[in-house]
Amino acid sequence: MTDEEILSLHAQHHGVLNMAPQMAVHNREELGKAYTPGVAVISKLIERYPELKDKYTLSGKLVAMVTDGSAVLGLGNIGPAGGLPIVEGKALLYKDLAGVDAIPLTLDQVPVAEFVQTLKNISKSFAGFHLEDIEAPRCFEIEEQLRQAVDIPVYHDDQEGTAIVVLAGLINAAKVVQKPLTDLKVVLNGLGASGVATARLLIKMGVKQLTLFDIDGQVHPDSPEYNQYQREVAQESLVQEHFDDLSSAMVGQDVFIGLSTADVLTAADVRTMAKDPIIFALANPKPEIDPAVAKDGGATIIATGSSQYPNQVNNILAFPGLYKGLLQTDLKQVTWELEAQIAQALAQMISQPEPAKIIPGVFDDGVVTTVAQSVIDFAKSQHRKGD
């Protein structure tokens, strides 16, 4: 499809979403039930019992998708207005794939405290916040502070979504090459929002032999050029060896996870890795290494972020089902334990993993249902622990 066709299609519909009524209003009786005077009954009740707003209004099922457009994948800082089509498109996926109602919102690139306060001020209208395309490190600060400020779930797709799907793929990749997950030696290149969250989750799962790289080279616990969140994950890694560059770090590694930019890895780099190399080249629109080049270098398993190749590691596998599940529970936090359970559920959808199939496809039957059920099961387990 050409650029002109895409623009024409979106202009024709003024975007990809609209509002649909849940009740008909064709006469006075229906008007009285849907709006005045009937609505006064609901308003008076909610005035006395504010928590009932979630039962009698849209707030109990509506997710706010919020961006400031400061870190859009493949496009960079394109501003709040530029980020709007991204969250609008994801809101469409929520509805189409999971039946979840989501509304796209953009905020100016204001200080963290103002950003958080703005969302807190409107939080009574929503059942959860989905943060999207917010640059690091402010995305970490926003998520942490917002979780403390509101009593509804807060989820940052660039962090938690990426981490969940990478872990799901890696669980099955480890099975294919017959190596214990916790023994894997991993180079992770690109320690932005998604990289930090992925490193955190892998460490929690026992994968601690992590060598971390970003734009200024290797990340160490005392690296002055990196932020506190990047230094903290480096502190938790068991790898203390210093490498001059990415190529030297690749020698003897089991896994490369790229959450960075195109063409940073070569076939020669892959050849220096341990037996049965695993390559997750997830940069979009162009991966860190072309799959054909990685295969030429001897890679056993290759995953990308693109639908053009097998093993697409994409957040779309996680977020629709995740919020579908959250809306059916009373969970208020997306914890690493919940992320791990979702990842394991996704991995288990592939009963016999093989190099070309380590993770479900975006349109495979049961993805949303599996993720939602894993959230519901997790909530039940938390209740049992609390009994």
Side-chain angles (χ1 to χ4, degrees):
M1 182 174 284
T2 66
D3 291 355
E4 289 76 15
E5 288 173 322
I6 293 171
L7 291 169
S8 176
L9 182 63
H10 283 248
Q12 177 185 346
H13 298 287
H14 291 280
V16 298
L17 295 172
N18 63 10
M19 298 290 288
Q22 296 289 89
M23 297 181 182
V25 183
H26 296 147
N27 53 52
R28 290 177 182 272
E29 182 180 1
E30 291 174 347
L31 177 63
K33 291 177 180 178
Y35 183 47
T36 185
V39 74
V41 175
I42 300 170
S43 293
K44 289 178 181 177
L45 181 64
I46 294 175
E47 179 188 15
R48 292 183 61 192
Y49 306 103
E51 68 277 7
L52 291 180
K53 71 178 182 60
D54 291 342
K55 179 178 181 180
Y56 292 105
T57 76
L58 183 64
S59 68
K61 63 178 183 179
L62 185 62
V63 177
M65 298 202 60
V66 186
T67 188
D68 65 2
S70 58
V72 177
L73 185 65
L75 300 177
N77 186 347
I78 58 175
L84 186 57
I86 310 297
V87 287
E88 186 179 84
K90 280 199 168 181
L92 172 66
L93 295 176
Y94 262 125
K95 188 65 175 179
D96 196 49
L97 297 177
V100 171
D101 293 290
I103 187 168
L105 300 175
T106 60
L107 267 65
D108 286 341
Q109 294 174 9
V110 295
V112 168
E114 185 177 347
F115 195 105
V116 171
Q117 188 63 50
T118 298
L119 295 186
K120 180 183 178 182
N121 290 345
I122 63 172
S123 62
K124 294 294 188 289
S125 298
F126 303 105
F129 285 118
H130 172 134
L131 304 177
E132 185 78 25
D133 295 336
I134 302 171
E135 67 181 352
R138 62 187 261 113
C139 62
F140 305 123
E141 299 165 6
I142 288 171
E143 185 176 29
E144 289 174 1
Q145 294 182 28
L146 188 58
R147 282 180 169 177
Q148 297 298 316
V150 300
D151 62 352
I152 56 177
V154 177
Y155 165 79
H156 183 199
D157 195 42
D158 302 296
Q159 291 188 64
E160 287 83 35
T162 302
I164 288 167
V165 184
V166 169
L167 175 58
L170 196 58
I171 288 170
N172 280 342
K175 291 179 181 178
V176 172
V177 299
Q178 299 182 355
K179 296 179 181 180
L181 181 71
T182 54
D183 287 354
L184 293 176
K185 295 180 179 180
V186 180
V187 169
L188 197 160
N189 189 59
L191 215 59
S194 58
V196 167
T198 298
R200 283 173 172 170
L201 184 56
L202 292 180
I203 288 168
K204 290 292 187 181
M205 293 296 292
V207 184
K208 293 193 174 184
Q209 297 184 81
L210 288 173
T211 302
L212 306 171
F213 271 79
D214 202 74
I215 191 168
D216 291 316
Q218 190 176 359
V219 183
H220 299 288
D222 57 353
S223 298
E225 65 270 36
Y226 292 117
N227 63 57
Q228 70 176 83
Y229 303 96
Q230 295 168 318
R231 295 195 300 268
E232 284 170 1
V233 293
Q235 180 68 51
E236 294 188 62
S237 169
L238 296 178
V239 176
Q240 300 302 320
E241 188 176 355
H242 287 238
F243 298 99
D244 293 334
D245 53 34
L246 183 61
S247 291
S248 61
M250 292 299 298
V251 178
Q253 300 286 345
D254 298 298
V255 183
F256 170 84
I257 299 174
L259 294 161
S260 51
T261 190
D263 299 326
V264 297
L265 202 65
T266 68
D269 294 327
V270 178
R271 291 189 188 100
T272 68
M273 295 175 68
K275 183 177 180 292
D276 293 325
I278 298 168
I279 304 295
F280 282 24
L282 307 181
N284 266 323
K286 192 175 181 183
E288 284 83 358
I289 182 171
D290 185 276
V293 176
K295 185 176 181 179
D296 182 61
T300 298
I301 296 174
I302 304 164
T304 72
S306 172
S307 59
Q308 299 178 61
Y309 310 104
N311 296 325
Q312 183 186 14
V313 174
N314 192 291
N315 299 2
I316 195 175
L317 291 169
F319 72 82
L322 188 151
Y323 250 111
K324 184 178 178 69
L326 287 175
L327 293 175
Q328 297 178 60
T329 71
D330 58 359
L331 291 174
K332 303 299 184 184
Q333 299 279 339
V334 178
T335 63
W336 76 264
E337 292 94 343
L338 175 57
E339 295 171 37
Q341 183 152 320
I342 295 170
Q344 289 164 342
L346 281 171
Q348 288 167 7
M349 288 188 68
I350 310 300
S351 58
Q352 293 183 312
E354 53 188 39
K357 189 68 172 179
I358 59 168
I359 199 162
V362 169
F363 297 106
D364 285 3
D365 290 340
V367 171
V368 169
T369 302
T370 296
V371 173
Q373 189 60 53
S374 70
V375 176
I376 294 168
D377 291 344
F378 180 82
K380 290 178 180 177
S381 71
Q382 296 304 294
H383 281 299
R384 287 194 294 269
K385 289 179 181 178
D387 292 342

